[in-house]
Amino acid sequence: MQSVKNAVRHILEKGLNLISPCSCFLCGMNACRDEIPVCGDCIGTFYRMLNTPCPSCGRAISGCDCSGETLAFLFWYSPGEAHRIIGAVKNDADRRMIRFFAELLALRIKQLHKKPFEAVTYIPRRKKGIRAAGYDQAKLLAEETAKALRVPCVAMLRRHGSEEQKLLSASERRKTMKNRYSVIRDNVVSESGEPYARVLLIDDVCTTGATLDACSALLRQEGIKQVISAVIAKTPKKEGWMTLG
Ligand SMILES: [Zn+2]
Ligand SMILES: [Zn+2]
């Protein structure tokens, strides 16, 4: 945990070679020191978010495995600041904001997973979402995370259809989820001619986990032995928390 905090400080200090001024992703108001996406007033709140223990098991955010696996993520996807940040990531981000989260995420991934990955891939966004926002946030996040981890970013999944998923229950989602994606077969094969053995699968948010599960299963069906997921924010396992997407 400490090292993620240090990384925030480090990123803040070194700057991200930004050209245009940016406003804080938390308050949306203050311009950011060194043009980094979080202002001095909000940095304390952001540190606290990175440090909030699991509301179910009480363990540190990097040690919670309530969902059965140790998912690398930065903060809980809960109402308030976290929803605001993810809203910005989905609809209003630029590469520097994504890079900020990617550098932190890469750090947490390295804390959790000592064994390196051969490639990074991502859950593609719906075409409609890409048209509306002008980008695919998971793809950008995967590209920047891959850069930080010094491995290639490869598009391995294709997305079909456009039916709204938000209103379905977790089990309903699982049934239909696999049909929404397919694997780009040529891209799961590494230069060795064999499928990649160990791949990092990136998305912005994990709510029920159904999408990540379905896509991991598809990739494993194509011969990838280990698919490990990482997201910016994860919905805590607790009744009453919102599950949005
Ligand atoms: Zn702020
Ligand atoms: Zn937990």
Side-chain angles (χ1 to χ4, degrees):
M1 190 53 246
Q2 200 52 42
S3 59
V4 168
K5 254 176 111 168
N6 289 341
V8 178
R9 204 165 292 133
H10 178 69
I11 294 167
L12 290 174
E13 278 161 11
K14 80 176 180 191
L16 288 171
N17 302 319
L18 309 177
I19 312 138
S20 57
C22 74
S23 59
C24 171
F25 61 58
L26 272 172
C27 64
M29 312 264 285
N30 301 333
C32 301
R33 191 169 71 87
D34 300 330
E35 299 173 344
I36 301 299
V38 57
C39 77
D41 289 355
C42 295
I43 191 70
T45 305
F46 188 58
Y47 282 156
R48 276 195 296 283
M49 288 177 67
L50 296 175
N51 267 317
T52 305
C54 172
S56 296
C57 68
R59 257 177 282 177
I61 199 161
S62 56
C64 162
D65 56 2
C66 285
S67 55
E69 55 155 349
T70 312
L71 177 77
F73 65 105
L74 291 176
F75 52 81
W76 300 102
Y77 189 44
S78 47
E81 282 93 8
H83 276 182
R84 224 164 28 245
I85 292 174
I86 294 301
V89 164
K90 281 184 194 292
N91 303 310
D92 209 14
D94 55 18
R95 205 168 258 276
R96 62 199 170 185
M97 190 199 275
I98 299 286
R99 198 182 307 146
F100 178 77
F101 289 116
E103 292 199 17
L104 295 178
L105 191 58
L107 229 109
R108 197 150 261 172
I109 290 161
K110 283 191 250 177
Q111 282 180 330
L112 283 175
H113 305 290
K114 302 299 171 213
K115 210 172 148 191
F117 295 91
E118 289 180 359
V120 176
T121 193
Y122 56 91
I123 311 269
R125 185 175 194 167
R126 282 187 301 151
K127 289 203 176 73
K128 207 175 141 193
I130 297 174
R131 273 200 304 274
Y135 60 93
D136 179 335
Q137 76 282 8
K139 178 173 187 249
L140 288 183
L141 185 65
E143 286 170 355
E144 294 296 334
T145 307
K147 243 182 251 171
L149 294 172
R150 298 170 197 278
V151 292
C153 179
V154 184
M156 297 185 189
L157 293 157
R158 194 185 285 118
R159 187 161 189 153
H160 310 282
S162 60
E163 198 186 311
E164 195 50 71
Q165 287 280 297
K166 286 180 181 175
L167 300 173
L168 301 179
S169 72
S171 65
E172 284 170 326
R173 283 186 188 209
R174 278 191 184 87
K175 272 181 232 154
T176 56
M177 197 61 79
K178 272 195 180 179
N179 304 326
R180 299 190 177 283
Y181 300 91
S182 60
V183 172
I184 305 169
R185 288 221 166 103
D186 287 349
N187 290 2
V188 304
V189 177
S190 75
E191 281 172 12
S192 71
E194 296 292 317
Y196 288 102
R198 186 170 158 84
V199 166
L200 183 70
L201 176 61
I202 297 272
D203 203 359
D204 54 347
V205 174
C206 172
T207 54
T208 63
T211 309
L212 289 168
D213 287 351
C215 288
S216 301
L218 284 171
L219 292 169
R220 285 196 307 271
Q221 275 168 23
E222 295 300 323
I224 297 176
K225 287 194 189 73
Q226 285 182 305
V227 181
I228 286 163
S229 303
V231 298
I232 296 179
K234 174 194 171 184
T235 301
K237 286 238 178 310
K238 190 180 170 190
E239 274 176 46
W241 287 83
M242 290 171 80
T243 51
L244 281 178

